[in-house]
Amino acid sequence: QKEVEQNSGPLSVPEGAIASLNCTYSDRGSQSFFWYRQYSGKSPELIMSIYSNGDKEDGRFTAQLNKASQYVSLLIRDSQPSDSATYLCAVNRYSSASKIIFGSGTRLSIRP
Amino acid sequence: DAGVTQSPTHLIKTRGQHVTLRCSPISGHKSVSWYQQVLGQGPQFIFQYYEKEERGRGNFPDRFSARQFPNYSSELNVNALLLGDSALYLCASSLITSDYNEQFFGPGTRLTVL
């Protein structure tokens, strides 16, 4: 079992719709969770971090965390073509070092 | 403020050679982490340094080593290069190291081993 699992996609969403990206993790002791966006050929860019159960909103992005279910999600409202990218879910497994464990990413495609 | 910088941008080496990659963190950040990303996968943790000390090491062979300097910049060294070392090498900067710190990535160094 992978430590962080994501559906690889591609996930195709029409422009203006809500894109929903999901992630599960295996280490119940994990305390912090991140979503990174990565455009092809570029490095990952941090878009959301979440530490407590519930929802956290930032502009068009909402991160959701359920520690009991070991589940993290990212919602993108009013999807734009510029949102087309790979989205990486990441979990901080801290033990003397902040070892960020990444999923393999979900490729999102926004169709006009 | 400048973000994380890495050099070089691209590098081509042959098997058996040695390579040194460099990273400068965001001003004020004291922790640097190194990751390897191969095509189609998420980044994999190699090392974390905080205040010039190694705080964590991932599942990579001893051919990989790193260090952090008094100005918090860092080098990643890879000896005896293998074809499988071809990847994007990412440096991430964070204020501290803890359960909750955010890490910010540099642009990466694309290493090709022939």
Side-chain angles (χ1 to χ4, degrees):
Chain A
Q1 181 191 9
K2 290 183 179 178
E3 292 189 66
V4 180
E5 297 220 45
Q6 296 181 254
N7 189 322
S8 62
L11 176 65
S12 181
V13 172
E15 185 175 354
I18 295 175
S20 177
L21 304 162
N22 304 313
C23 169
T24 58
Y25 61 94
S26 62
D27 185 356
R28 210 169 259 286
S30 300
Q31 295 294 331
S32 50
F33 308 86
F34 309 95
W35 283 99
Y36 286 83
R37 177 176 62 198
Q38 187 170 28
Y39 293 113
S40 181
K42 301 295 185 182
S43 64
E45 174 193 6
L46 180 65
I47 54 172
M48 289 289 285
S49 57
I50 186 166
Y51 308 128
S52 304
N53 279 329
D55 294 1
K56 179 182 177 182
E57 188 175 315
D58 184 1
R60 295 187 297 113
F61 298 99
T62 299
Q64 300 174 316
L65 173 61
N66 184 326
K67 289 186 179 180
S69 300
Q70 295 173 243
Y71 178 89
V72 193
S73 66
L74 179 71
L75 301 178
I76 307 174
R77 288 181 300 280
D78 188 23
S79 295
Q80 303 295 312
S82 60
D83 294 326
S84 297
T86 296
Y87 289 80
L88 297 163
C89 174
V91 174
N92 185 357
R93 185 151 64 85
Y94 181 76
S95 175
S96 78
S98 297
K99 182 178 178 181
I100 306 293
I101 309 297
F102 286 84
S104 297
T106 298
R107 194 153 49 94
L108 175 65
S109 175
I110 307 301
R111 58 181 191 270
Chain B
D1 280 346
V4 181
T5 59
Q6 291 187 245
S7 63
T9 306
H10 295 88
L11 205 50
I12 299 175
K13 293 286 189 178
T14 56
R15 281 176 295 175
Q17 285 190 309
H18 159 271
V19 69
T20 297
L21 310 180
R22 295 178 174 83
C23 169
S24 290
I26 294 169
S27 177
H29 284 197
K30 297 182 177 181
S31 181
V32 169
S33 300
W34 287 95
Y35 293 82
Q36 180 197 67
Q37 187 177 25
V38 299
L39 201 60
Q41 295 182 23
Q44 276 199 292
F45 175 80
I46 309 176
F47 287 109
Q48 186 181 62
Y49 277 78
Y50 176 62
E51 291 279 20
K52 302 179 287 295
E53 290 186 3
E54 182 185 302
R55 298 297 296 272
R57 172 187 283 257
N59 188 23
F60 280 81
D62 291 345
R63 298 184 296 107
F64 289 77
S65 63
R67 55 180 174 166
Q68 186 178 32
F69 300 100
N71 66 353
Y72 303 109
S73 67
S74 177
E75 282 183 356
L76 175 70
N77 294 283
V78 187
N79 292 323
L81 285 167
L82 303 174
L83 296 179
D85 294 331
S86 296
L88 179 66
Y89 288 85
L90 295 160
C91 172
S93 162
S94 56
L95 268 172
I96 57 172
T97 178
S98 73
D99 260 335
Y100 299 100
N101 66 294
E102 296 174 332
Q103 295 190 8
F104 300 91
F105 284 93
T109 294
R110 174 79 56 188
L111 172 65
T112 302
V113 182
L114 302 176

